[in-house]
Amino acid sequence: MYVRDKEGIAKRLKRLEGQIRGIAKMVEEDRYCIDILNQIEAAKGALDKVALLILEGHLKGCVKRAIKTGEEEPVIKELLEVLDKFIR
Amino acid sequence: MYVRDKEGIAKRLKRLEGQIRGIAKMVEEDRYCIDILNQIEAAKGALDKVALLILEGHLKGCVKRAIKTGEEEPVIKELLEVLDKFIR
Amino acid sequence: MYVRDKEGIAKRLKRLEGQIRGIAKMVEEDRYCIDILNQIEAAKGALDKVALLILEGHLKGCVKRAIKTGEEEPVIKELLEVLDKFIR
Amino acid sequence: MYVRDKEGIAKRLKRLEGQIRGIAKMVEEDRYCIDILNQIEAAKGALDKVALLILEGHLKGCVKRAIKTGEEEPVIKELLEVLDKFIR
């Protein structure tokens, strides 16, 4: 894996863990559904941001290396497969 | 909040916390980007499932009550606002 | 079907048809991929907006009627099934 | 723009135009909301498929060329910006 800011991603994931615990607490306390849904949406956004940072690293690392060595076909194929999941 | 299976949601969120820690570990260990992205997508799916369970409870609880008492306009408005975020 | 502004939805769909033809023209003219992708994203946004208007009508029409007559279980079930597709 | 199967994409977009007209007809005929929503979801899926084909061409064309000539930074940056829209 090649990412610009591994520490930054670790911090985001730590914060996200806290968000998930926060959502669990809201459920436990029977908080208003819409407020819980908004927190779930915020957690999804945080996950998407981490995904984009990993994608950036992948493009600048593995994909770049594969293209430079002429072996990009399988690497692009698997990248499109994971993008298919994210986009749909 | 009104949900059919509060304990089930709590378990899902506990598992999701573990998934987030798992993703952090993969980043820490420089695991292959595509594998990390697939785990992030799985965590998003788990969040979506919790959201749907909360939505079910909201429709069967708050939305139903509001319609029965003729005060559904603001409740439907805020439901559509949160659905707008989830759908987009 | 019960929607507030049927004509407005018809106009949105007419415009969307034009957007799709526009995307086809861009592909035909070998326009830059990123520009085409941005137009596709805009068309998805337009589709989502129509979906939300239909959802609004459904909540204020069919779901409301079903709750008033005490027959909401199957109606809420199928609503959650379609929301599952949109959210994921 | 570099895509493997330009004609195939043109056909998909032509079919999608027909899907949009079909949705408009369903709205005109006051068809059941859930059926209309399912058609909208299917049209979104068709748009996503076209986006993935364009993305494939972009990776194998513009991104590859930029990496080969050492000018990938701006190309990867704009790719991540459009992916950010699709993923969120």
Side-chain angles (χ1 to χ4, degrees):
Chain A
M1 188 193 76
Y2 162 95
V3 283
R4 222 171 0 116
D5 178 11
K6 215 168 122 174
E7 219 185 291
I9 290 176
K11 274 186 198 151
R12 285 178 186 276
L13 289 166
K14 201 68 197 161
R15 222 170 22 235
L16 183 52
E17 241 190 277
Q19 280 178 276
I20 304 297
R21 274 194 297 274
I23 293 166
K25 197 161 172 282
M26 290 175 88
V27 171
E28 182 48 44
E29 294 170 353
D30 286 326
R31 293 274 297 276
Y32 188 48
C33 309
I34 298 291
D35 297 335
I36 298 174
L37 289 167
N38 279 315
Q39 285 306 310
I40 291 174
E41 182 54 25
K44 278 181 77 180
L47 267 172
D48 285 335
K49 183 61 190 169
V50 170
L52 281 162
L53 292 169
I54 302 286
L55 264 173
E56 180 185 9
H58 190 56
L59 287 165
K60 292 180 178 175
C62 317
V63 174
K64 179 176 175 182
R65 238 186 336 271
I67 286 175
K68 291 258 184 196
T69 56
E71 293 154 347
E72 70 272 10
E73 197 64 30
V75 172
I76 289 178
K77 184 170 178 289
E78 73 179 358
L79 174 56
L80 287 166
E81 281 163 11
V82 85
L83 286 178
D84 190 348
K85 291 178 194 168
F86 272 90
I87 286 178
R88 303 246 184 187
Chain B
M1 187 192 76
Y2 162 95
V3 283
R4 225 171 357 115
D5 178 10
K6 213 166 122 175
E7 219 184 291
I9 290 177
K11 275 186 198 150
R12 285 178 185 276
L13 290 166
K14 201 68 196 163
R15 222 171 20 236
L16 183 52
E17 241 189 275
Q19 280 178 276
I20 305 297
R21 274 196 296 275
I23 294 166
K25 196 160 172 282
M26 290 175 87
V27 171
E28 181 49 42
E29 293 169 353
D30 286 326
R31 293 275 296 278
Y32 189 46
C33 310
I34 298 292
D35 297 334
I36 297 174
L37 288 167
N38 279 316
Q39 285 306 311
I40 291 174
E41 182 54 25
K44 279 181 76 179
L47 267 172
D48 286 336
K49 183 61 189 167
V50 171
L52 281 163
L53 292 169
I54 302 285
L55 265 173
E56 181 185 9
H58 190 56
L59 288 165
K60 293 180 177 176
C62 316
V63 174
K64 180 177 174 180
R65 240 189 332 272
I67 286 174
K68 291 256 184 196
T69 56
E71 294 153 346
E72 71 272 9
E73 198 64 30
V75 172
I76 289 178
K77 185 170 175 290
E78 72 180 358
L79 174 57
L80 288 165
E81 280 162 10
V82 83
L83 287 178
D84 190 346
K85 291 179 195 167
F86 272 90
I87 285 178
R88 303 250 184 183
Chain C
M1 190 192 74
Y2 161 95
V3 284
R4 222 171 0 114
D5 178 11
K6 216 168 121 175
E7 219 185 293
I9 291 177
K11 275 186 197 151
R12 286 178 185 275
L13 289 166
K14 201 67 196 161
R15 223 171 20 236
L16 183 51
E17 239 189 277
Q19 280 177 276
I20 305 296
R21 273 194 299 273
I23 294 166
K25 196 160 172 284
M26 291 175 87
V27 171
E28 182 50 42
E29 294 169 353
D30 286 326
R31 292 276 297 277
Y32 188 48
C33 311
I34 298 292
D35 297 336
I36 297 173
L37 288 167
N38 278 316
Q39 285 306 311
I40 291 174
E41 182 55 25
K44 280 181 76 179
L47 267 172
D48 285 336
K49 183 60 188 168
V50 170
L52 281 163
L53 292 169
I54 302 286
L55 264 174
E56 180 185 10
H58 189 56
L59 287 165
K60 292 180 178 175
C62 316
V63 174
K64 180 176 174 181
R65 239 188 333 271
I67 285 174
K68 290 256 185 197
T69 57
E71 293 154 346
E72 69 272 10
E73 198 62 33
V75 172
I76 289 179
K77 185 170 176 290
E78 73 179 356
L79 174 57
L80 288 165
E81 280 162 9
V82 84
L83 286 178
D84 190 346
K85 291 178 196 167
F86 272 90
I87 285 178
R88 303 243 183 188
Chain D
M1 187 193 75
Y2 162 94
V3 283
R4 223 173 358 115
D5 177 11
K6 215 167 120 174
E7 217 185 294
I9 290 177
K11 275 186 197 151
R12 285 178 186 276
L13 289 166
K14 201 67 194 160
R15 225 172 18 236
L16 183 52
E17 242 190 275
Q19 280 177 276
I20 304 298
R21 274 195 298 273
I23 293 166
K25 195 160 173 282
M26 292 176 87
V27 171
E28 182 49 43
E29 293 168 354
D30 286 327
R31 293 275 296 278
Y32 189 47
C33 311
I34 298 292
D35 297 336
I36 297 173
L37 288 167
N38 278 316
Q39 285 306 310
I40 291 174
E41 183 55 25
K44 280 181 76 179
L47 267 172
D48 286 336
K49 183 59 190 169
V50 170
L52 281 162
L53 292 170
I54 302 286
L55 265 173
E56 180 185 10
H58 189 55
L59 287 165
K60 293 180 176 176
C62 316
V63 175
K64 180 176 175 181
R65 240 187 334 272
I67 286 174
K68 291 258 184 193
T69 56
E71 294 153 348
E72 70 271 11
E73 198 63 31
V75 171
I76 288 177
K77 185 170 176 291
E78 73 180 357
L79 174 57
L80 287 165
E81 280 162 10
V82 83
L83 286 178
D84 190 346
K85 291 178 196 169
F86 272 90
I87 284 176
R88 304 243 185 191

